[in-house]
């Protein structure tokens, strides 16, 4: 049924100097579009499949179980000049494609929030030291970010996973409890990457807070771009 975050995501990448193109799954499955000309792929957030249970996993299965789509996505991930970002439903979807993504074998599943309800608000996260090309130079930053998900709780985490983002409370401590941790993920984990940093997934929405005016409060020194704009600039820098 589609997602609803693609316009905001395109706006952020456009601001960083990318040419942004909507690619529909039906066009990939029918062979009308391949990913050979693209350097970046973003699985956006929103109400994929009506946001029913396992919506992102359903999205992934439309790739895994359709030979043409599986080949197209697998070829994209295998190239060394590509990067990918998965957000919210897209995070769940890319995590479910871990068998196609080099270095993603240890990514966990994302399941129902411990609160058993949809959670939508600003939360606070800390960027962790990681190989992620999108988060380069941002480690240690504690930033507000939009969350809007019903299935963001990490399940099946192993020591082989590479954490990139976690929820923290107002004092900067790891958020284990609700509401600072909106989904109940252990260690507040809400973002991961791969060993080479080309593929990053996260449950929160950086594309919804990349402009200063999207914040209810901000330091006067911020200017027009909010700190999350750095993620999109990092993508452009890596491509260049």
């Amino acid at each position: 049924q589609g997602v609803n975050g693609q316009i905001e995501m395109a706006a952020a990448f456009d601001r960083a100097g990318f040419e942004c193109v909507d690619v529909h799954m039906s066009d990939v499955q029918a062979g009308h579009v391949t990913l050979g000309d693209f350097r970046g792929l973003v699985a956006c957030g929103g109400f994929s499949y009506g946001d029913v249970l396992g919506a992102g996993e359903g999205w992934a299965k439309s790739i895994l179980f359709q030979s043409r789509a599986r080949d197209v996505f697998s070829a994209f991930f295998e190239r060394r000049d590509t990067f990918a970002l998965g957000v919210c439903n897209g995070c769940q979807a890319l995590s479910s494609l871990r068998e196609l993504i080099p270095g993603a074998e240890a990514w966990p599943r994302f399941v129902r929030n411990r609160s058993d309800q949809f959670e939508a608000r600003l939360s606070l996260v800390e960027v962790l030291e990681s190989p992620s090309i999108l988060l380069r130079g941002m480690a240690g930053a504690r930033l507000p970010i939009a969350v809007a998900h019903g299935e963001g709780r990490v399940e099946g985490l192993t020591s082989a996973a590479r954490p990139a983002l976690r929820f923290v409370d107002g004092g900067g401590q790891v958020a284990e409890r609700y509401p600072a941790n909106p989904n109940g993920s252990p260690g507040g984990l809400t973002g991961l990457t791969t060993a080479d940093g080309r593929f990053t997934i996260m449950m929160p929405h950086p594309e919804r807070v990349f402009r200063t005016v999207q914040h209810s409060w901000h330091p006067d020194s911020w200017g027009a771009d909010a700190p999350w704009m750095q993620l999109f600039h990092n993508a452009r820098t890596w491509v260049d």
Side-chain angles (χ1 to χ4, degrees):
Q1 295 179 356
V3 298
N4 64 15
Q6 76 275 14
I7 301 300
E8 294 162 297
M9 189 67 77
F13 275 98
D14 177 82
R15 195 178 184 93
F18 283 89
E19 178 185 356
C20 303
V21 181
D22 279 339
V23 174
H24 293 249
M25 283 302 306
S26 56
D27 287 333
V28 174
Q29 292 168 336
H32 300 318
V33 175
T34 70
L35 302 179
D37 293 331
F38 294 93
R39 297 288 302 279
L41 180 154
V42 186
C44 299
F47 295 98
S48 173
Y49 289 91
D51 210 33
V52 297
L53 293 177
E57 291 185 357
W59 184 359
K61 287 173 182 176
S62 72
I63 297 169
L64 292 172
F65 300 149
Q66 209 268 3
S67 58
R68 178 180 283 117
R70 184 186 179 100
D71 289 345
V72 166
F73 277 83
S74 182
F76 177 87
F77 294 135
E78 288 290 343
R79 285 166 46 200
R80 299 295 300 173
D81 64 342
T82 61
F83 73 91
L85 169 66
V87 169
C88 196
N89 283 121
C91 169
Q92 190 183 54
L94 290 193
S95 177
S96 298
L97 293 178
R98 64 181 73 86
E99 64 186 83
L100 303 184
I101 302 174
E105 298 83 2
W107 282 357
R109 295 180 65 225
F110 290 85
V111 299
R112 190 73 174 167
N113 295 346
R114 204 168 290 284
S115 66
D116 201 33
Q117 64 183 8
F118 182 80
E119 303 287 346
R121 59 179 173 276
L122 279 180
S123 292
L124 189 65
V125 296
E126 180 180 26
V127 181
L128 302 176
E129 189 68 51
S130 81
S132 175
I133 64 165
L134 300 179
L135 300 175
R136 188 166 293 163
M138 299 177 66
R142 296 171 183 159
L143 303 169
I145 194 169
V147 297
H149 59 259
E151 293 186 321
R153 179 166 57 90
V154 167
E155 180 183 77
L157 184 66
T158 70
S159 60
R162 294 181 181 271
L165 210 65
R166 68 184 175 190
F167 291 111
V168 293
D169 62 22
Q173 300 303 305
V174 176
E176 293 275 6
R177 301 177 62 183
Y178 185 89
N181 181 330
N183 53 51
S185 291
L189 182 63
T190 193
L192 300 101
T193 191
T194 51
D196 65 4
R198 292 190 297 124
F199 308 114
T200 301
I201 55 174
M202 61 181 66
M203 194 51 59
H205 291 264
E207 80 282 2
R208 295 184 180 179
V209 284
F210 73 94
R211 301 178 64 210
T212 296
V213 296
Q214 293 170 310
H215 294 71
S216 58
W217 179 89
H218 59 83
D220 293 337
S221 61
W222 272 15
D225 288 346
W228 283 110
M229 190 60 211
Q230 185 61 44
L231 180 152
F232 305 98
H233 286 311
N234 282 343
R236 180 66 198 198
T237 298
W238 184 81
V239 166
D240 289 342

